[in-house]
Amino acid sequence: MTDILTKSHPSAEQPTFSGAELLFSESLMADMLGEAESNANKLATLTLGKAPRRDLLPLLLEHLPEENIAHFGLLDGLSSAEIEQRYGPVAGEKVTMTHMEDGSYVILSAGKVEAELQKLIFRLEAKGFANILILCAGEYKNLKANSAILLEPYRMLPPLVNAITDGHQVGVMVAREEYLGEQAYKWQSLASRPRFAVASPWVENDDELIDAALHLQEQGADVVVLDCLGYHQRHRDFLQKLLGIPVLLSNVLLAGLAAELVA
């Protein structure tokens, strides 16, 4: 992905353009404006991994036509070596993880990821996108947009779940144990302290999923939230039948909210 805007530098002499150069410049500007106008009614999705995220795309397509969605990934076009070079963490640094399409995952520097996400947000704004959905459940406090609506799961989900559950005991299921560290802070706005359990959505059998769900229910949870973009509708339906209590899928909540802004 490349910038479509470049910074100008002051100089003693102002540049002059030939007729051909001026026509080219005007043509390029028209293309840029046309691109920005065509993107205004599209939803841009931005993921830490490589786009598109096949786990969320079917849910978005239930609400929006595919031509109204544009996908961008932090790791698009990068080899494993390039990913390590750009985003590899140093000892003691806060890290984040992203799941890859081949089933593996990579550990990244949270600070480097946040800085690059911010650059991408500004580039997407320059391309005319008015709605940008961050496909990551992690916390990035400093991300901002100048004009676009920035949809961040970390900021959106807790108040939404709090309104839906209305004081019920919430159980939160996450994909990896490493994610538990920030979960207490993330969900502190809930009416009562949530219970937590870990189950990977990427394993072939459901044993881990069942154990985690039963553990949440034993702790008093009467509503379960599947808080990872890797959980699918299948997981939600399976657990709701198993437990006999409401199970909320964060993917579905995010997809519905995002689609409302673009539809």
Side-chain angles (χ1 to χ4, degrees):
M1 189 186 304
T2 57
D3 288 310
I4 62 170
L5 299 178
T6 57
K7 294 183 179 179
S8 60
H9 299 278
S11 61
E13 298 182 359
Q14 295 297 320
T16 58
F17 297 96
S18 68
E21 289 172 329
L22 185 59
L23 286 175
F24 174 78
S25 177
E26 291 175 347
S27 175
L28 179 60
M29 182 61 69
D31 289 344
M32 290 164 55
L33 293 175
E35 180 185 26
E37 183 177 352
S38 67
N39 288 334
N41 295 321
K42 292 181 181 179
L43 173 68
T45 71
L46 181 53
T47 179
L48 264 61
K50 296 188 177 183
R53 282 291 299 261
R54 290 188 295 181
D55 42 14
L56 186 59
L57 182 58
L59 298 175
L60 289 171
L61 293 178
E62 290 181 8
H63 302 277
L64 292 171
E66 190 164 6
E67 58 267 24
N68 284 6
I69 310 171
H71 306 283
F72 303 89
L74 194 70
L75 306 183
D76 285 350
L78 299 181
S79 66
S80 297
E82 289 170 328
I83 292 171
E84 175 62 27
Q85 182 180 14
R86 291 193 190 189
Y87 302 110
V90 298
E93 186 179 13
K94 183 179 179 181
V95 300
T96 187
M97 291 182 290
T98 186
H99 190 259
M100 307 297 282
E101 290 292 335
D102 63 1
S104 64
Y105 66 91
V106 293
I107 299 177
L108 311 170
S109 160
K112 294 174 184 176
V113 163
E114 185 170 33
E116 189 62 25
L117 284 175
Q118 185 60 74
K119 293 178 184 177
L120 289 175
I121 289 168
F122 288 150
R123 291 173 188 170
L124 291 174
E125 283 189 307
K127 289 178 176 289
F129 290 99
N131 300 285
I132 303 171
L133 173 61
I134 307 294
L135 298 182
C136 172
E139 177 190 15
Y140 296 97
K141 294 180 180 179
N142 301 315
L143 294 180
K144 62 181 180 179
N146 292 323
S147 57
I149 296 176
L150 192 60
L151 305 170
E152 301 172 85
Y154 196 97
R155 183 169 49 86
M156 295 165 55
L157 285 174
L160 180 59
V161 169
N162 196 40
I164 293 173
T165 57
D166 191 26
H168 288 274
Q169 179 60 61
V170 175
V172 178
M173 191 179 298
V174 296
R176 298 186 63 87
E177 189 172 354
E178 293 89 342
Y179 297 160
L180 290 175
E182 63 184 23
Q183 288 295 315
Y185 178 81
K186 175 179 179 177
W187 295 98
Q188 63 179 335
S189 63
L190 294 185
S192 59
R193 182 179 177 277
R195 307 294 186 250
F196 297 102
V198 177
S200 172
W202 300 295
V203 296
E204 293 184 1
N205 63 66
D206 294 324
D207 293 347
E208 188 176 333
L209 194 71
I210 294 171
D211 289 343
L214 294 177
H215 179 61
L216 290 175
Q217 194 168 46
E218 289 169 1
Q219 294 182 83
D222 50 14
V223 178
V224 170
V225 179
L226 303 181
D227 190 21
C228 174
L229 298 179
Y231 293 120
H232 296 173
Q233 189 71 34
R234 179 189 74 79
H235 299 113
R236 180 248 177 213
D237 293 343
F238 174 77
L239 291 181
Q240 186 156 293
K241 183 177 180 180
L242 172 72
L243 301 176
I245 60 177
V247 177
L248 303 177
L249 183 61
S250 60
N251 285 356
V252 172
L253 299 177
L254 290 172
L257 285 174
E260 286 295 321
L261 293 172
V262 183

